[in-house]
Amino acid sequence: MEFDESQHFTMCRKLALSRYPRELQLGFDRVRWMELCDEIHAKDYDPPYRDEQRAWYDTLRDLVPSGLRMKPTIRLYAGQRNWCSLDPQNNSDVKEFESILQDCAKPHESVQSVSIDLSKFPKSDVFRVALVVPEVWASNINGVNEHPQAPLRFKPSIPVAADFAGEKIDLVVFPEAYIRSEDEKRQTLLRDLAKQLKTCILVGVTQGHSERDADWETLALVDPKGNFETFYRKHATAGAVAFEIPGWEPRIQLPVFTVNGITVGCTICHDSYLGLLQRYLAKKGARIWINPSYDNVIHEKWESIFRLRAVENKVTSLCTLHDNPARGHRRRIRPFGFSPDGSELVGHPAGNGSRVNRLSECNLPGIYIVGCHTRAPSAVLNPSLLPITEKQPFPRQRSGELVRIVLIEGFPHIRCENDWVRLSHERLVNVNGLKLGLGIIPGDKLFDISSFVKEQERIYNLDPDQARPIFWNQWAELPTDPSRLVDMMMGRTLEMLAPIILSDRKTIYEVTEIAGGTKTIRRVLINSNEAEVDVKFALGLWNSFKITWASLSDVVSQEEYFKPFAKKYLSLI
């Protein structure tokens, strides 16, 4: 085991790491160590060759174990945490340190992905997906492919077989609204591409509604013989949505398909916020969930949602989208992908397997090849092995509607006027004119969307017009390093439009909240038995659920759409 302080992170060390053999197994995250070299950029000129010497010694310690058939050298980064706070006489600290070492000793997600040579694996163990990230110049979704004769600059080009550079691919994925259904010329090009690649293609298709002036957003599957079939309609934020279909039923509207023995389920863009959809697909056997989106998104939101969906459903989650420079100077484009253990997937540009990066670093238009491992994940989720979040806590930037909460004898309480009142399932609590309802989510039920939806429905029924929910995720014993749960909490906060509180019976560890109308998430680090929670934007799932009809052009009233849509959605529980 090596303990790496800041002086180890030099440009010499990064150069050496970048040249490691791809098959070399390591006991640390090579990509992260290279990032730290960039961030720290240490220099040591005493003696003048000290940086080169230290990098060479570190390289020997990494390479030699494999030659001697030893286990890989484990490396700990000194700046990762306050290591000296761990007490060797404290059993819980010893167990925590053992857990850290075990986490390092197993092939790390970045290292394993970077070092893997996919050609050495049986085809049944790796499912290769090509995520197409095209560039398109258009100010909104209606400007792309609005008509087959629309200006070419609005139409992302159809790749040819040569663009995939002979890569072995099981499935090619294009973004939402990539073509229109009446554009037969571009459909023919996609059919030809599927035949030439001898693989399936998943593509977003905008399709006119037959009865009114609106568009469906759909997905079509092109098989290796060129057969083109539309099989899925979007459920949220479109001119027409699937919930409108009179005979809507999940068996038909939420299909799965199989490619090379792997079952795949799909939704589109904002459908990702409706977690019961993905839960249903996983129950139908989906091992990979693909959610093509349209264009530039807020990374923090998409990252939290896609990691949450992967972990809670034990699926691989994937998303590709257009790169749209017309959205402004901030180019927020990148594909997304996470494995069932929450680790980020990596990809390489088609034809350049040596340039393997995390998908969060694949921030240019192109075609990225992603290898998805298809071995069945463990039936038991170990939250202590989730990736440590890179999201940092930050203070509130504005005033809100703040309420104080506390744990008293292990039970949640809220401050009402001059007294603490115990929160309960049976009633709402009035705080400064705000009616608040508590949803208690025990321990690992954090990973069960149905628990949240049931609690939300109960709170809503207490007062449909004014009830604001707060969800309290209380553990008997929290996992090692509770910060590993933050992405899960952020995803739930976005989905439920409500604060999420993480605690055991004595201490409140984290609070995630809605920061504003854009639904940007902030994280507040508490570490006490008392905290402040902002409920200004705690509007609940049903307000988030409005995205299903927000884009409909002929909405008469919320009531007209809410009840039938909600009833269909709740049937998935």
Side-chain angles (χ1 to χ4, degrees), residues 186 240 451:
R186 291 161 66 75
S451 298

Side-chain angles (χ1 to χ4, degrees), residues 73-87:
T73 298
I74 289 175
R75 290 191 177 276
L76 302 179
Y77 168 43
Q80 179 180 334
R81 58 171 300 150
N82 183 6
W83 297 98
C84 294
S85 66
L86 295 174
D87 182 358

Side-chain angles (χ1 to χ4, degrees), residues 9-81:
F9 298 97
T10 64
M11 288 299 100
C12 293
R13 178 63 168 147
K14 180 182 178 182
L15 178 63
L17 288 167
S18 70
R19 298 296 190 269
Y20 276 17
R22 295 183 63 196
E23 67 275 9
L24 180 65
Q25 291 297 309
L26 300 172
F28 62 99
D29 182 348
R30 177 166 74 103
V31 173
R32 178 57 181 152
W33 253 238
M34 292 170 68
E35 290 173 349
L36 288 168
C37 290
D38 284 330
E39 294 170 12
I40 298 171
H41 207 300
K43 296 182 178 68
D44 188 349
Y45 299 134
D46 186 18
Y49 52 82
R50 187 66 178 109
D51 287 344
E52 291 83 352
Q53 185 184 56
R54 185 176 282 120
W56 173 237
Y57 288 162
D58 284 345
T59 297
L60 287 176
R61 294 182 180 108
D62 291 340
L63 295 179
V64 167
S66 63
L68 299 180
R69 297 185 179 180
M70 297 167 59
K71 293 181 179 180
T73 298
I74 289 175
R75 290 191 177 276
L76 302 179
Y77 168 43
Q80 179 180 334
R81 58 171 300 150

